[in-house]
Amino acid sequence: MERVSIKLLGRCEISSPTGLPSVPVGTKTALLLARIAMAPGQAQDRRRLTELLWPDRGEPQALASLRQSLWTLRRDLGDLDALPVIADRSSIRLDLSAVEVDSIVFGDLIRTGTPEALERAAELNRGDNLAEIDLHGEDGYAPFLFERQRLRGLYLSCLKTLIGKRAAAGQTDGAVGIAQKALSLDPLQEDVHAALIRLHLARGELGAARAQYESCRDT
């Protein structure tokens, strides 16, 4: 059975197996999806979700907003027999047999740890979790910010491992590209600067190696 695709890495998007194109998801609906994806398959209490996502509203209004988000999901996913987000009167959870969430797949690939899995994980990562949402503006968004930082850390670790593996395989150009990507993610990684300097030296690019050293020093 083809599954609904939920993308949380980068801009939040959903697409159904019915052939409809991917559609961007509104902020609250994206946060709802991200929250239930943090504990895949586990039921999340409706009232706790509303307290997290609509803390400034009374309970009836917040529950109505939650129902609206679920209705929006059903509309955007088109003609499906069943919504991959299972909701009853008290809780909401993801049906993992009907949905594929990129952040969950990414974590599984990182845990697998093979070179092939890490390469796939690096390809899968389109950016920070819920990249389009400012998570610093609300105190209640701390769980989402923590998840963003956790996934970014996994991605950076993945890239560092791939730098070494490509360099060891003689794929210097590829290793340089990955190192530059890692530094764009976090320019304070001194070990990545050092690896990039060594890669430039291995290619005989003394000027580039010196420029990278100066960039590291200045940073």
Side-chain angles (χ1 to χ4, degrees):
M1 178 180 69
E2 290 188 89
R3 296 190 290 175
V4 170
S5 171
I6 298 176
K7 293 181 172 63
L8 298 174
L9 298 173
R11 180 175 178 81
C12 183
E13 296 179 348
I14 56 175
S15 59
S16 73
T18 59
L20 294 175
S22 296
V23 295
V25 178
T27 297
K28 293 297 185 179
T29 303
L31 290 170
L32 172 61
L33 287 172
R35 182 58 183 166
I36 58 180
M38 288 182 197
Q42 296 182 21
Q44 302 289 311
D45 182 78
R46 277 182 179 255
R47 283 182 170 77
R48 289 194 176 182
L49 288 171
T50 59
E51 291 169 1
L52 179 67
L53 300 177
W54 294 277
D56 56 339
R57 301 184 185 180
E59 184 176 299
Q61 293 80 11
L63 288 170
S65 296
L66 180 58
R67 288 193 296 271
Q68 177 66 31
S69 286
L70 292 171
W71 179 86
T72 300
L73 277 175
R74 186 177 294 279
R75 179 201 65 193
D76 290 343
L77 287 171
D79 186 20
L80 293 179
D81 292 336
L83 190 67
V85 178
I86 299 174
D88 57 31
R89 294 180 64 86
S90 62
S91 65
I92 298 173
R93 66 178 175 86
L94 279 179
D95 179 2
L96 294 182
S97 68
V99 67
E100 180 178 87
V101 184
D102 63 351
S103 59
I104 296 175
V105 175
F106 174 78
D108 290 342
L109 290 167
I110 294 292
R111 282 188 289 274
T112 299
T114 65
E116 296 78 12
L118 294 178
E119 292 281 0
R120 174 67 184 123
E123 292 172 1
L124 190 65
N125 193 300
R126 302 178 304 139
D128 274 337
N129 204 43
L130 304 175
E132 78 279 14
I133 301 176
D134 179 9
L135 298 179
H136 297 275
E138 300 284 347
D139 291 341
Y141 288 177
F144 303 106
L145 185 58
F146 177 83
E147 181 70 355
R148 175 183 288 178
Q149 293 168 339
R150 184 185 74 84
L151 291 169
R152 182 189 291 185
L154 287 177
Y155 183 41
L156 186 58
S157 178
C158 170
L159 293 178
K160 287 182 179 182
T161 301
L162 290 176
I163 293 168
K165 290 186 179 300
R166 289 204 179 185
Q171 300 172 0
T172 309
D173 290 347
V176 167
I178 294 175
Q180 291 170 338
K181 184 182 294 185
L183 288 178
S184 70
L185 186 68
D186 183 355
L188 295 177
Q189 299 297 308
E190 188 175 356
D191 54 344
V192 179
H193 283 283
L196 195 47
I197 291 169
R198 289 193 295 270
L199 289 166
H200 287 314
L201 289 174
R203 298 198 297 185
E205 298 172 346
L206 302 184
R210 172 121 190 135
Q212 190 63 47
Y213 166 76
E214 292 174 350
S215 173
C216 177
R217 178 196 62 198
D218 294 344
T219 300

